[in-house]
Amino acid sequence: VQLQASGGGLVQAGGSLRLSCVVSTGISNLNYMGWYRQAPGKQRELAATIPGGGTRATYADSVKGRFTISKDIARNTVYLQMNSLKPEDTAVYYCTVARYEGWGPLKDYWGQGTLVTVSS
């Protein structure tokens, strides 16, 4: 499974960006899809997830109410709409998907990351 993330860039505080992640396989059968982020000098942290076969999203408290994760099954694409951006949202954002393969454990795949920089 390959993931191609895009949409990062430089934006002023209060602005918006939409990240996209194109997945090389059908997404409706995936266990879940998500976006993580890693700020300079910090550990990677979860931003949002959404199940492949459902719509119930989960969010980190730090982004709740500002970020929205969504998916387009026809395009095999996961989105992260980010509004009211803050300087502390500055990070490399990674998309990830996970699925079971055969009888093995849940296996995850990661995209290459896209940099989001929010200026104050």
Side-chain angles (χ1 to χ4, degrees), residues 80-119:
L80 187 68
Q81 177 67 42
M82 305 184 295
N83 299 328
S84 302
L85 282 161
K86 305 174 181 179
E88 51 264 44
D89 294 319
T90 295
V92 177
Y93 284 71
Y94 297 90
C95 63
T96 183
V97 302
R99 69 179 184 183
Y100 289 102
E101 297 182 347
W103 296 102
L106 194 64
K107 182 175 176 60
D108 57 359
Y109 298 86
W110 294 82
Q112 83 285 6
T114 184
L115 176 62
V116 172
T117 303
V118 184
S119 63

Side-chain angles (χ1 to χ4, degrees), residues 2-111:
Q2 295 180 330
L3 292 78
Q4 182 67 44
S6 62
L10 174 63
V11 64
Q12 288 189 331
S16 298
L17 281 175
R18 189 178 79 158
L19 306 182
S20 300
C21 178
V22 180
V23 185
S24 65
T25 188
I27 64 175
S28 60
N29 295 324
L30 296 171
N31 184 270
Y32 72 84
M33 301 164 288
W35 289 93
Y36 281 69
R37 64 185 186 178
Q38 187 166 18
K42 295 187 177 181
Q43 290 188 330
R44 191 174 297 188
E45 63 176 9
L46 170 71
T49 65
I50 189 168
T55 58
R56 188 171 183 177
T58 60
Y59 298 93
D61 288 342
S62 57
V63 308
K64 203 171 292 184
R66 300 186 297 120
F67 290 11
T68 302
I69 187 170
S70 62
K71 60 185 177 180
D72 185 330
I73 292 175
R75 290 183 167 83
N76 290 340
T77 302
V78 182
Y79 303 100
L80 187 68
Q81 177 67 42
M82 305 184 295
N83 299 328
S84 302
L85 282 161
K86 305 174 181 179
E88 51 264 44
D89 294 319
T90 295
V92 177
Y93 284 71
Y94 297 90
C95 63
T96 183
V97 302
R99 69 179 184 183
Y100 289 102
E101 297 182 347
W103 296 102
L106 194 64
K107 182 175 176 60
D108 57 359
Y109 298 86
W110 294 82

